[in-house]
């Protein structure tokens, strides 16, 4: 039985449906919100994505083609396991990026017909006036965002996972320190003043839509994937898509009480979400006048309920299949369930959906309607991919020389490394490039293992180091790291399929997909073709789709995906059996490295006991 208790609400001025009396409450500002702008001669969908290092904005036409995009850097503070940002800084960066994107695309703000947000699953704290509340040891009020990759709450996650709550079944059996309950518990235990000051705890993408519209409705995506909200409580509400808001039915109050967060139940969960809606649900009365002015857009422009950035990538790419495949005789409802989306950036998320819920140990989910409405989402991932490649390269002694060479040739350091590797292959007379790393192996768990082992204590391992400090040696280390990441993806796919999925095609988006070697190694190592989208900015497109649905241009997210997703190049795995044999051997070594680590960990624990 869920326990509900009242709370003081006189200062809450955002619209909500009270789950007990159903009365609406509006602020004076909302009562004067301008009507939506008249329809544009051509729909222009705006998507905003806040990643780890920048805020980006992109404009798309009715065919899903990118008209223009820009990015603006955002500040980040790192201190050990603590990683923090500023919501004020993020909003200013968004405003800059939106205006610049409109300028680049030669589109005026009044031509933009809708807006959708996506962002990292970072935790935002604000007071009852919407001002930042610090989550930092420093006490700096600007630092009110705990970034997704922050691992300060490992012990809190372990405590939560020691409980026997059924809630954990819906996140792979255990919460990660990257999820919100452990972080909330950490703040409560370590920063009591901030805990008492915080009036709203929000996922970053929900805060963005709230900042834009004044509507505190949360997304099924954020709450289900990162807050342990049980989204399937909404399964009977699919026919209520015209309702303004949806009552928050999926909070498990017994769970919150058990782990020590019982005061979040107060006020019908007002601090964490009284109203939860499907992705793309139209929020409030669209952009408030203040937000519209700051963004250079029109008040009343429709805004859709948000998505986490990786999930927006899934929405922006999952229907990007070649025409021949999309016209196959296979049932359309089933065909999409054979695809796995890799959203490759600082980290990589591995997104698959199914019509039936699949419980997979060590993998987040099943999450109902958290990405594509009415489908169960399975969400695996690697906590450091792009970040790991940067770390490997930047911390090598040959890195400055290599960076200078790349700059002088006006190419990226990855392109230069790929050229060096091909030269080395030719010089060595090797039949395929991957064979260069026959005696160097990498376990890429430098920031723990998110999936499928779900071990935040796992460490990175490199086998085969020498005293060689040359650029060629750095190239080999880089290639072995790329392969290690691809073996991790193979491990995740095999684990998915062993527990009920039937994945046979990969779709990839994100910054790392621009690296041809990264994609080819993933195809060769997994043995599956990889479809790249026509438009590189799939996360921005996914965000834009949310606004397009909110504007009623499309009736559902799936309809918008089919209309706006489009396939580009397809990367096929090598058909050389020697390549497969080689990677099978390296994959066995990859799996063995973790087993060795567990053995070493046990030996040292015994030695210190």
């Amino acid at each position: 039985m869920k326990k509900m208790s009242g709370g003081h609400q006189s200062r809450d001025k955002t619209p909500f449906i009270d789950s007990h009396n159903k009365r609406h409450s509006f602020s004076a500002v909302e009562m004067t919100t301008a009507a939506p702008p008249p329809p544009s001669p051509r729909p222009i969908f705006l998507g905003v994505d806040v990643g780890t290092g920048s805020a980006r904005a992109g404009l798309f036409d009715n065919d899903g083609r990118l008209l223009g995009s820009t990015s603006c850097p955002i500040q980040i503070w790192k201190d050990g396991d603590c990683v923090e940002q500023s919501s004020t800084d993020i909003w200013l960066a968004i405003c800059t990026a939106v205006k610049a994107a409109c300028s680049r695309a030669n589109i005026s703000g009044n031509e933009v017909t809708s807006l959708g947000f996506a962002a990292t699953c970072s935790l935002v704290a604000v007071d009852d006036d919407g001002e930042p509340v610090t989550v930092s040891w420093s006490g700096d009020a600007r630092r009110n965002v705990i970034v997704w990759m922050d691992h300060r709450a490992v012990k809190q996650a372990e405590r939560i996972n020691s409980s026997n709550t059924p809630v954990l079944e819906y996140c792979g059996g255990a919460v990660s320190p990257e999820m919100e309950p452990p972080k909330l518990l950490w703040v409560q235990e370590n920063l009591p003043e901030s805990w008492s000051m915080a009036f709203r705890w929000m996922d970053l993408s929900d805060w963005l839509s709230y900042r834009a519209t004044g509507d505190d409705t949360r997304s099924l995506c954020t709450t289900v994937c990162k807050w342990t909200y049980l989204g399937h409580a909404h399964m009977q509400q699919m026919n209520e898509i015209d309702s303004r808001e949806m009552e928050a039915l999926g909070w498990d109050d017994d769970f919150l009480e058990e782990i020590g967060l019982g005061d979040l139940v107060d006020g019908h969960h007002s601090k964490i979400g009284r109203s939860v809606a499907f992705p793309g649900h139209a929020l409030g009365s669209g952009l408030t006048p203040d937000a519209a002015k700051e963004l250079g857009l029109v008040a009343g422009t429709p805004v859709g309920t948000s998505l986490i950035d990786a999930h927006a990538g899934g929405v922006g790419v999952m229907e990007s299949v070649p025409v021949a495949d999309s016209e196959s005789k296979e049932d359309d409802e089933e065909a999409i369930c054979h695809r796995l989306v890799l959203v490759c950036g600082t980290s990589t998320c591995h997104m698959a959906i199914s019509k039936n819920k699949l419980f997979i140990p060590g993998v987040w989910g099943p999450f109902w309607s958290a990405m594509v409405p009415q489908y169960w989402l399975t969400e695996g991932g690697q906590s450091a991919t792009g970040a790991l490649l940067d770390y490997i390269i930047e911390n090598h002694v040959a890195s400055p020389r290599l960076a200078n060479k790349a700059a002088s040739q006006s190419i990226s350091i990855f392109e230069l490394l790929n050229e060096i590797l091909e030269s080395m292959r030719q010089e060595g007379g090797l039949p395929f490039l991957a064979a260069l790393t026959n005696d160097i192996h990498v376990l890429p768990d430098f920031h723990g293992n998110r999936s499928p082992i779900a071990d935040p204590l796992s460490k990175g391992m490199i086998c085969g180091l020498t005293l060689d400090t040359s650029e060629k040696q750095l190239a080999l280390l880089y290639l072995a790291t790329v392969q290690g990441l691809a073996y991790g993806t193979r491990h995740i796919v095999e684990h998915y399929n062993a527990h009920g999925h039937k994945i046979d095609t990969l779709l990839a988006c994100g910054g790392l997909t621009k690296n041809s070697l990264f994609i080819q190694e993933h195809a060769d190592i997994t043995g599956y073709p990889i479809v790249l989208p026509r438009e590189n900015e799939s996360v921005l497109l996914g965000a834009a789709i949310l606004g397009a649905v909110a504007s009623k241009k499309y009736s559902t997210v799936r309809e918008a995906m089919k209309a706006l997703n489009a396939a580009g190049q397809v990367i096929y795995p090598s058909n050389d059996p020697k390549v497969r044999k080689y990677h099978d051997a390296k994959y066995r070594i990859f799996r063995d490295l973790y087993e060795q680590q567990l053995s070493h960990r046990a030996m040292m624990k015994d030695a210190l006991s």
Side-chain angles (χ1 to χ4, degrees), residues 225-352:
C225 295
K226 304 304 172 187
W227 296 71
T228 69
Y229 186 85
L230 301 176
H232 44 287
H234 291 262
M235 291 183 79
Q236 302 304 315
Q237 289 189 307
M238 284 305 297
N239 294 327
E240 301 177 23
I241 58 174
D242 291 330
S243 65
R244 188 175 176 282
E245 294 172 309
M246 294 187 178
E247 182 182 324
L249 303 170
W251 294 116
D252 189 310
D253 297 348
D254 291 332
F255 167 70
L256 294 173
E257 295 275 7
E258 180 182 353
I259 67 173
L261 295 175
D263 52 346
L264 295 181
V265 174
D266 294 348
H268 316 319
H269 317 94
S270 60
K271 290 188 177 182
I272 55 175
R274 298 179 66 166
S275 175
V276 179
F278 296 93
H281 180 78
L283 292 170
S285 300
L287 283 179
T288 64
D290 286 346
K293 182 178 180 181
E294 293 165 342
L295 292 163
L297 303 176
V298 176
T301 300
V303 178
T305 307
S306 61
L307 284 167
I308 297 168
D309 53 356
H311 303 63
V315 167
V317 77
M318 195 160 238
E319 288 286 1
S320 298
V321 292
V323 175
D325 293 348
S326 64
E327 293 177 349
S328 66
K329 294 181 180 179
E330 184 177 21
D331 177 56
D332 181 58
E333 296 297 304
E334 178 65 22
I336 196 172
C337 298
H338 288 244
R339 305 167 194 159
L340 177 76
V341 175
L342 304 181
V343 186
C344 312
T346 303
S347 63
T348 293
C349 286
H350 300 68
M351 324 287 279

Side-chain angles (χ1 to χ4, degrees), residues 115-251:
L115 169 60
F117 291 100
T120 62
C121 48
S122 301
L123 178 66
V124 182
V126 293
D127 66 16
D128 53 352
D129 291 322
E131 295 299 316
V133 173
T134 184
V135 292
S136 173
W137 282 121
S138 69
D140 186 343
R142 294 174 300 169
R143 295 157 71 166
N144 71 317
V145 180
I146 300 181
V147 179
W148 67 271
M149 64 171 63
D150 183 292
H151 271 209
R152 71 181 70 183
V154 170
K155 291 182 179 179
Q156 285 76 13
E158 290 173 350
R159 279 211 314 276
I160 293 171
N161 292 333
S162 67
S163 67
N164 294 317
T165 173
V167 168
L168 297 181
E169 295 176 9
Y170 288 88
C171 50
V175 296
S176 160
E178 296 174 15
M179 292 180 177
E180 311 305 8
K183 292 174 178 173
L184 290 164
L185 203 53
W186 185 93
V187 175
Q188 183 195 65
E189 295 171 355
N190 292 278
L191 300 174
E193 185 175 351
S194 293
W195 183 256
S196 63
M197 287 177 61
F199 191 68
R200 285 187 178 84
W201 295 99
M202 310 184 78
D203 236 72
L204 178 55
S205 59
D206 284 330
W207 180 81
L208 295 176
S209 58
Y210 165 68
R211 180 67 176 76
T213 67
D215 187 335
D216 190 20
T217 297
R218 313 296 175 94
S219 168
L220 266 174
C221 177
T222 59
T223 52
V224 170
C225 295
K226 304 304 172 187
W227 296 71
T228 69
Y229 186 85
L230 301 176
H232 44 287
H234 291 262
M235 291 183 79
Q236 302 304 315
Q237 289 189 307
M238 284 305 297
N239 294 327
E240 301 177 23
I241 58 174
D242 291 330
S243 65
R244 188 175 176 282
E245 294 172 309
M246 294 187 178
E247 182 182 324
L249 303 170
W251 294 116

Side-chain angles (χ1 to χ4, degrees), residues 407-488:
S408 68
Q409 298 177 37
S410 299
I411 60 175
S412 73
I413 197 167
F414 298 109
E415 290 173 297
L416 182 55
L417 285 166
N418 294 351
E419 290 178 2
I420 292 172
L421 289 168
E422 178 56 28
S423 295
M424 292 173 68
R425 183 198 69 78
Q426 294 177 11
E427 290 170 5
L430 296 175
F432 50 90
L433 187 141
L436 287 165
T437 60
N438 66 300
D439 60 358
I440 183 168
H441 311 281
V442 174
L443 182 71
D445 294 351
F446 285 57
H447 199 55
N449 184 284
R450 186 188 298 172
S451 307
I453 299 168
D455 180 2
L457 300 179
S458 184
K459 302 294 189 291
M461 299 174 70
I462 301 175
C463 175
L465 291 176
T466 72
L467 293 176
D468 189 347
T469 61
S470 69
E471 295 169 9
K472 288 184 176 181
Q473 189 61 29
L474 171 54
L476 291 177
L477 183 57
Y478 153 74
L479 174 58
T481 304
V482 168
Q483 292 171 337
L485 294 170
Y487 295 131

